[in-house]
Amino acid sequence: MTDKSMTPEEVVAQLHSGMTIGIGGWGSRRKPMALVRALLRSEITDLTVISYGGPDVGLLAAAGRIRRLVAPFATLDSIPLEPHFRAARERAAFTLTELDEAMFMWGLHAAANRLPFLPVRAGLGSDVMRVNPELRTVTSPYDDGEELVAVPALRMDAALVHLNRADRLGNAQYLGPDPYFDDLFCEAADAAYVSCEQLVETAELAKSGPAQSLLVSRHSVTGVVETPNGAHFTSCVPDYDRDEAFQKLYATTPWTEFADRFLSGAGEHDYQLAVRTWHEEQQ
C-alpha cells in the first residue's frame, strides 16, 4: 500500500498554469479552501475552473487566476451571489460557460466514465442553449426519435476536494448530509487531491459512519492532505458550521484589503492565525 499523504504546497507543486481544475463542494459548503489558498500563494494562473461555485471561485476570480469558468452558479448560500465572482464578471475578467445544475452533473458523469458526452433533457427550452451556442443536441436512435442535449464531458487535469476523514491511502469519508459530487470530481480528473479534517487509520473509517459515507476510494486519489479547519470559512458539518461573521467580512471588504490581511502569509497556519486574531478583536 502507498502512503499518499502530502502538504498543500506539495499538491500545488503538481499543478501548473493553463490547467483545467475541478473544485468540489457546493456553494459555501465543504470547499477545499486550504488547497485554494495554497494555490493563491503560487504563481499559477490562466486556469479553467469547473465548480459548483462558492468562495473558491470568488477568491481565484478576484486574484485574476481564472481564464474560463464552467459552473451552474457561484454563491455563498446565505449570501445569494458571490460578490467577487460578480465583480469579475462585470469587468469581463474571464469566459463563463454556465450550465444547468443537472447538465453539470451529467457532464461530471460523462467524464468519470470517459465518455465524450451524455444525453439529457435538462436545458431544452431554456436560455442555457442560447448563451452556450457551442452546445449541441442529438437525436435518439430509437423509435422515440427524441431530441436531447449532448452535454460534453467535464474532464479535468486535476480535482481538489475536501472531506471530513481520510486515510493515508486516499480513502475518504464525508460525515455530513451531502456528498456534493466529490466522488465524481475525483473520478473525472487525471489527478485528484483530497484534503481532510483528520487523517485516521483505515479501520477507523468504518467505525465513523455507514458504508455509503466512504465516498472516495483510493483508486481515484493521487494525494491526501490533513488540513484541520481546511474548509474555512465554508461549512464542514458535523465538524463545524460556516463562519458566517467571517464570510460577511469577506463579502464586504475590498479585495486588496482582505488579501493583505488574510492571504499574504507564508502558509495555512498564518491564515488560521489571522482569522483567530480577527475574531478576538470582535469580542
Side-chain angles (χ1 to χ4, degrees), residues 158-177:
L160 310 176
V161 305
H162 186 81
L163 287 104
N164 299 88
R165 304 288 182 269
D167 65 17
R168 295 180 182 277
L169 306 178
N171 301 298
Q173 179 179 48
Y174 78 103
L175 300 176

Side-chain angles (χ1 to χ4, degrees), residues 158-242:
L160 310 176
V161 305
H162 186 81
L163 287 104
N164 299 88
R165 304 288 182 269
D167 65 17
R168 295 180 182 277
L169 306 178
N171 301 298
Q173 179 179 48
Y174 78 103
L175 300 176
D178 201 314
Y180 305 137
F181 306 103
D182 285 350
D183 54 333
L184 291 181
F185 275 92
C186 291
E187 292 169 6
D190 293 338
Y193 302 95
V194 177
S195 60
C196 66
E197 291 298 312
Q198 184 180 2
L199 278 175
V200 299
E201 296 299 322
T202 304
E204 291 299 313
L205 294 175
K207 298 177 183 178
S208 300
Q212 63 265 30
S213 69
L214 297 173
L215 181 67
V216 174
S217 176
R218 66 179 186 269
H219 78 270
S220 63
V221 173
T222 308
V224 60
V225 185
E226 185 176 55
T227 57
N229 210 35
H232 184 272
F233 49 92
T234 72
S235 63
C236 187
V237 294
D239 292 306
Y240 48 86
D241 292 323
R242 184 184 303 118

Side-chain angles (χ1 to χ4, degrees), residues 26 29 58 62 78 82 99 145 155 174 184 190 202 230 239 250 254:
W26 178 285
R29 300 174 233 180
S78 57
E82 217 290 344
L99 300 177
R155 288 296 306 274
Y174 78 103
L184 291 181
D190 293 338
T202 304
D239 292 306
Y250 161 79

